[in-house]
């Protein structure tokens, strides 16, 4: 369990009941995990209530946060993530709690996001991309369209249970967020984690979910994408063999494929990515979160 701080709402909330508006003290207490939410990282909003609630929902940075009641902590918990390019500042979390009688309780809390500087890697020469053939360009375009369609999917059910676990037991060779620079300009950002993995190493699903994609792509090679619900996807790249089918329900630890060096890579390794509602977040930080069963 990571340290967490508890912040009391200082706002008074408006209770809307049968058309009449009355001022009442806020029964909700919000806790953030981790204590300092940073760009490129996942986070958990935990809400305790002094009155019985039927439901909880929120929006933050124009994204919907799904909440579940966690019987361990007796709090409502919602998982979210912050884009790596989000600047430090306060971002309002708009909470809507449903009381036992159906009354909606609206409240807002300014959640601070702190700046995390990611390491840079200065390139000696600009990356050269040999221009692909007409047929390959067509393939790349079609794959980009397909990915952007699939990556938008937000399944309104939670398919994950408990903690996310690494896809294999190995050394991390390249961290999330490393910025490749040339002449002071960012050329690319590493959108996931690289693990050392000899070709043929079994790769396990990081949590339970449904297989969204299991096919070959030009850049990613053999790729499996698992939908964990609530807009959270995990990606497994450069696989030499796929062991699951699209649409299949899978469990945490189930082998999704074998590692390899397929797609645009220079050597064998496993690249994994985590997407939350359109943005990549650091998989290593997701593994550290204490999540409800
Ligand atoms: Zn990578």
């Amino acid at each position: 369990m990571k340290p967490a701080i508890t912040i009391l709402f200082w706002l008074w909330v408006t209770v809307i009941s049968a058309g009449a508006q009355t001022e009442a003290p806020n029964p909700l207490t919000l806790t953030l995990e981790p204590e300092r939410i940073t760009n490129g990282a996942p986070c958990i909003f935990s809400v305790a209530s002094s009155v019985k609630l039927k439901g909880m929902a929120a929006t933050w940075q124009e994204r919907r946060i799904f909440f579940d009641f966690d019987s361990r902590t007796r709090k409502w918990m919602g998982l979210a993530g912050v884009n790596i390019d989000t600047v430090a500042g306060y971002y309002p979390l708009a909470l809507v709690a449903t009381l036992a009688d159906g009354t909606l309780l609206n409240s807002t809390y300014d959640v601070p996001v702190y700046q995390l500087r990611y390491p840079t890697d200065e390139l000696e020469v600009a990356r050269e991309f040999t221009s692909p053939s007409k047929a390959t360009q067509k393939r790349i375009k079609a794959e980009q369209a397909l990915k952007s369609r699939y990556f938008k999917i937000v399944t309104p059910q939670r398919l994950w249970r408990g903690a996310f676990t690494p896809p294999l037991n190995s050394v991390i060779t390249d961290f999330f967020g490393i910025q490749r620079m040339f002449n002071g300009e960012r050329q690319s950002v590493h959108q996931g984690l690289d693990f050392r993995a000899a070709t043929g190493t079994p790769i396990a699903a990081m949590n339970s979910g449904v297989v969204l994609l299991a096919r070959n792509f030009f850049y990613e090679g053999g790729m499996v994408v698992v939908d964990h619900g609530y807009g959270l996807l995990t990606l497994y790249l450069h696989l030499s063999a796929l062991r699951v089918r699209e649409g299949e329900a899978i469990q945490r630890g189930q082998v999704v494929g074998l590692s390899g060096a397929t797609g645009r890579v220079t050597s064998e390794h496993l690249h994994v990515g985590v997407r939350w509602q359109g943005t990549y977040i650091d998989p290593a930080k997701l593994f550290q979160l204490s999540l409800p069963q």
Side-chain angles (χ1 to χ4, degrees):
M1 191 77 182
K2 301 279 290 176
I5 49 162
T6 298
I7 304 158
L8 280 162
F9 286 83
W10 66 82
L11 291 170
W12 286 57
V13 291
T14 308
V15 179
I16 300 154
S17 178
Q21 294 204 350
T22 50
E23 291 281 298
N26 195 332
L28 308 179
T29 311
L30 174 71
T31 309
L32 309 175
E33 186 192 338
E35 186 179 323
R36 284 169 71 90
I37 297 173
T38 55
N39 51 313
C43 60
I44 300 172
F45 298 122
S46 294
V47 183
S49 175
S50 59
V51 296
K52 201 167 161 52
L53 300 180
K54 231 164 51 174
M56 169 82 63
T59 50
W60 193 51
Q61 299 195 46
E62 290 162 18
R63 289 177 175 89
R64 183 173 166 195
I65 317 286
F66 298 86
F67 281 83
D68 284 296
F69 186 72
D70 182 4
S71 52
R72 295 174 316 169
T73 58
R74 305 205 56 75
K75 287 177 179 173
W76 293 83
M77 292 181 82
L79 181 66
V82 185
N83 189 282
I84 192 168
D85 292 326
T86 297
V87 295
Y90 288 90
Y91 294 88
L93 176 74
L95 278 176
V96 183
T98 309
L99 302 181
D101 66 356
T103 306
L104 297 181
L105 188 68
N106 292 284
S107 52
T108 309
Y109 177 70
D110 281 334
V111 174
V113 170
Y114 295 88
Q115 198 72 51
L116 183 62
R117 286 189 187 283
Y118 287 88
T120 55
D121 185 5
E122 197 68 36
L123 299 169
E124 296 286 312
V125 287
R127 282 223 171 139
E128 272 184 47
F129 294 102
T130 48
S131 94
S133 70
K134 274 259 155 63
T136 305
Q137 284 178 34
K138 206 175 156 193
R139 179 187 171 187
I140 292 168
K141 234 180 138 183
E143 289 180 356
Q144 277 167 347
L146 179 91
K147 283 181 283 180
S148 76
R149 214 167 60 238
Y150 275 78
F151 287 174
K152 271 195 206 115
I153 289 172
V154 178
T155 301
Q157 285 88 37
R158 178 163 71 102
L159 305 173
W160 54 267
R161 299 185 74 81
F164 282 73
T165 51
L168 79 166
N169 186 8
S170 185
V171 179
I172 293 170
T173 53
D174 206 355
F175 292 92
F176 174 87
I178 294 173
Q179 310 186 60
R180 267 106 206 188
M181 311 291 287
F182 179 70
N183 277 345
E185 275 189 38
R186 188 166 84 176
Q187 287 220 324
S188 64
V189 178
H190 192 227
Q191 307 273 33
L193 280 183
D194 286 354
F195 288 90
R196 183 177 298 157
T199 295
T201 306
I203 302 306
M206 294 183 250
N207 210 315
S208 54
V210 171
V211 178
L212 194 61
L213 288 169
R215 54 179 97 173
N216 282 289
F217 290 84
F218 179 74
Y219 287 112
E220 295 85 354
M223 175 165 74
V224 171
V225 178
V226 181
D227 178 4
H228 301 285
Y230 290 175
L232 197 74
L233 311 176
T234 57
L235 292 71
Y236 311 77
L237 275 65
H238 314 309
L239 303 175
S240 58
L242 308 176
R243 288 283 185 268
V244 286
R245 290 183 319 273
E246 292 177 8
E248 186 181 342
I250 57 166
Q251 300 303 313
R252 181 202 295 114
Q254 188 173 332
V255 173
V256 295
L258 305 179
S259 69
T262 57
R264 288 275 287 215
V265 286
T266 50
S267 61
E268 58 186 10
H269 72 281
L270 175 74
H271 172 103
V272 293
V274 175
R275 287 181 69 90
W276 180 75
Q277 296 194 25
T279 191
Y280 281 103
I281 53 174
D282 186 353
K285 292 199 174 77
L286 182 66
F287 300 148
Q288 292 168 5
L289 290 182
S290 173
L291 294 166
Q293 277 301 309

